[in-house]
Amino acid sequence: MNKPVSTFSLQPSHRLDPRSPDLQALLDHIAEGESERERERVLPFEAIDLIRRARLGALRIPAEVGGGGSSIRELLEIVVRLGEADANVAHILRNHFSVVERLVRRPKDEQSRQWQKAVADGAIIGLATTELESPKVGDVTPNTTLTPDGSDYLLNGTKYYSTGTLYSDYVLVRAADPSGANGATIIPVQRDGVELIDDWDGLGQRLTATGTTHFRNVRVKREEIVFDAPDVGYGVPYSNTFAQLFLTAVNAGIVRAILRDATALVRSRKRTFYYAPNEHPIDDPLLQQTVGQIASAAFAAETVVLAAADALDVATDAFDAGSANAVEEAHRAALLSAKAKIVADELAIRSGSLLFDVGGASATKKATNFDRHWRNARTLSSHNPTTFKARSIGQYEISGTPLPAKGFF
């Protein structure tokens, strides 16, 4: 039975302190039963509802309109800790914060202001962008269509990997109009013609509802559509860096969870290995060394994430101010985020394996569910393979070729 948690909320003109006891109470509550939920596939609707009521999704909304006014670094500090509490819940929110960053944080019209108010009041936004058809390399034109119908549009198409949308109030959908212009629309998930299917069967991140979404003649108002432009939404260079770094922050959180479980496992062990150098597991120098490796990995993973977050804050401020060097700063943030991913992903996957070195065969029992850490880290890392990131970083270092400004950078 979960313990009651105090109602955590963001007050206007309040900058959230990541050390807030109310925030820690919320994270502790979400962490309770996390392993059992993952093992039994119990979808975390309660955790997301607590986050909705706490208005945690408004962290990046300016304080003067009811949000948290947090920097990207402050947000990702919290994401790392949420990833430690429950990697699935943290991942569920990735698309929400990405949409807020692109289209909601700084509204340009009345419709955007309405979306901003909804988020400030606690609404969660999901995402539906990915399609399984194989486009030409570099072609991002979706097959999902926006067809004019009177003064409105009809939205038709099928999306996959709609992470978090099952838990959300709204969903952002990428689509193209008859001219081929790409755009995005944010609509309520309860609107007629929207069907959410929980058919994600990945080996990790099993509770993220990364499933299929169908749109069948969904009526969309013209003002609910934002078409791409060089300074708007998906048209902004390196607009995907935030989403990529968010996943890396979740992996950094997983390493912290591995450290937590490894430490508790050694402390609780009664038996040891036949050739162990010490009678008591807590005094075994080999086990101490392994936990020390995991602790160092947790520190390093979080450190590179926050260094990249600092760069992304600089880039975001430059773009908001219309600075001439905004694209240059965005490229630097993308470069550091790609490097952070390569480092943190490797540390998370390696640490997930090291956990079993402090527990032995008994740690592999299904009841412990320790394998979830490796599975979750491996799944998160696979979202955008490090091989592509490493190749682009190397090309930049050797030839000065900028990273791709679109897609997974």
Side-chain angles (χ1 to χ4, degrees):
M1 179 68 66
N2 285 333
K3 299 176 183 177
V5 63
S6 59
T7 301
F8 170 72
S9 64
L10 306 173
Q11 301 301 324
S13 303
H14 171 65
R15 288 182 61 77
L16 177 69
D17 182 352
R19 296 176 294 275
S20 163
D22 284 335
L23 173 60
Q24 188 57 52
L26 176 64
L27 296 175
D28 290 345
H29 186 83
I30 291 172
E32 290 185 9
E34 171 269 331
S35 177
E36 289 76 16
R37 288 195 299 268
E38 203 273 355
R39 187 178 62 240
E40 303 300 328
R41 204 173 184 282
V42 177
L43 299 180
F45 282 103
E46 183 203 14
I48 298 301
D49 191 50
L50 283 173
I51 287 170
R52 182 182 285 109
R53 286 160 47 196
R55 300 193 295 126
L56 201 69
L59 284 170
R60 284 285 287 157
I61 299 296
E64 58 268 23
V65 290
S70 299
S71 66
I72 292 173
R73 181 193 174 100
E74 289 167 335
L75 168 63
L76 293 187
E77 284 179 343
I78 293 170
V79 171
V80 171
R81 292 165 61 194
L82 182 57
E84 177 186 5
D86 190 319
N88 282 274
V89 171
H91 188 184
I92 286 166
L93 296 177
R94 178 243 198 164
N95 288 334
H96 166 85
F97 282 109
S98 298
V99 174
V100 168
E101 204 65 24
R102 277 195 176 102
L103 297 175
V104 178
R105 185 175 61 85
R106 289 174 59 85
K108 297 179 180 295
D109 53 36
E110 179 56 32
Q111 178 61 67
S112 297
R113 281 187 284 274
Q114 291 179 23
W115 291 330
Q116 184 187 72
K117 184 181 185 305
V119 171
D121 289 341
I124 302 296
I125 304 176
L127 189 70
T129 63
T130 304
E131 298 172 349
L132 294 187
E133 290 77 7
S134 299
K136 296 178 181 178
V137 173
D139 181 9
V140 295
T141 302
N143 290 319
T144 299
T145 58
L146 284 163
T147 305
D149 185 63
S151 59
D152 298 332
Y153 287 77
L154 294 179
L155 175 68
N156 282 280
T158 297
K159 299 290 189 177
Y160 301 88
Y161 309 126
S162 307
T163 302
T165 302
L166 186 69
Y167 306 96
S168 300
D169 305 289
Y170 294 85
V171 57
L172 181 145
V173 190
R174 291 285 286 161
D177 72 3
S179 72
N182 294 345
T185 179
I186 300 176
I187 57 175
V189 296
Q190 297 298 327
R191 185 167 289 180
D192 288 346
V194 178
E195 181 185 10
L196 307 175
I197 302 176
D198 179 26
D199 56 357
W200 170 240
D201 64 349
L203 65 88
Q205 296 301 95
R206 294 173 173 175
L207 307 183
T208 57
T210 304
T212 304
T213 308
H214 296 293
F215 301 94
R216 301 185 180 94
N217 289 325
V218 180
R219 188 160 294 278
V220 178
K221 299 176 182 178
R222 171 61 187 87
E223 56 266 29
E224 293 176 317
I225 304 170
V226 180
F227 286 101
D228 295 354
D231 62 342
V232 177
Y234 286 77
V236 175
Y238 302 105
S239 62
N240 233 342
T241 299
F242 175 89
Q244 303 307 302
L245 186 57
F246 193 101
L247 285 188
T248 306
V250 179
N251 253 349
I254 289 175
V255 188
R256 287 175 53 136
I258 293 169
L259 174 61
R260 176 201 66 212
D261 286 353
T263 302
L265 181 57
V266 174
R267 288 172 176 166
S268 66
R269 282 187 59 174
K270 305 301 181 185
R271 299 170 59 249
T272 190
F273 300 108
Y274 182 83
Y275 293 105
N278 194 285
E279 191 74 25
H280 305 289
I282 60 172
D283 297 320
D284 187 328
L286 297 180
L287 299 184
Q288 292 169 347
Q289 178 187 11
T290 303
V291 172
Q293 288 177 287
I294 297 172
S296 301
F299 167 75
E302 184 169 1
T303 298
V304 295
V305 165
L306 297 182
D310 285 337
L312 192 52
D313 269 320
V314 171
T316 301
D317 290 344
F319 178 78
D320 289 348
S323 300
N325 66 338
V327 175
E328 178 184 346
E329 293 292 354
H331 179 268
R332 178 173 178 271
L335 183 64
L336 292 185
S337 295
K339 291 178 178 178
K341 173 184 167 56
I342 291 172
V343 172
D345 284 5
E346 180 180 351
L347 291 174
I349 293 167
R350 185 193 308 165
S351 296
S353 181
L354 285 174
L355 174 58
F356 295 98
D357 289 341
V358 302
S362 61
T364 67
K365 295 170 63 177
K366 287 184 178 180
T368 68
N369 201 29
F370 286 144
D371 64 301
R372 73 189 186 282
H373 297 309
W374 185 94
R375 289 187 288 99
N376 290 339
R378 179 66 265 184
T379 300
L380 286 166
S381 180
S382 298
H383 274 66
N384 43 98
T386 56
T387 49
F388 289 96
K389 297 289 177 73
R391 181 260 179 178
S392 292
I393 293 169
Q395 187 180 29
Y396 169 77
E397 296 292 345
I398 295 168
S399 307
T401 304
L403 270 59
K406 303 292 183 183
F408 291 115
F409 288 87

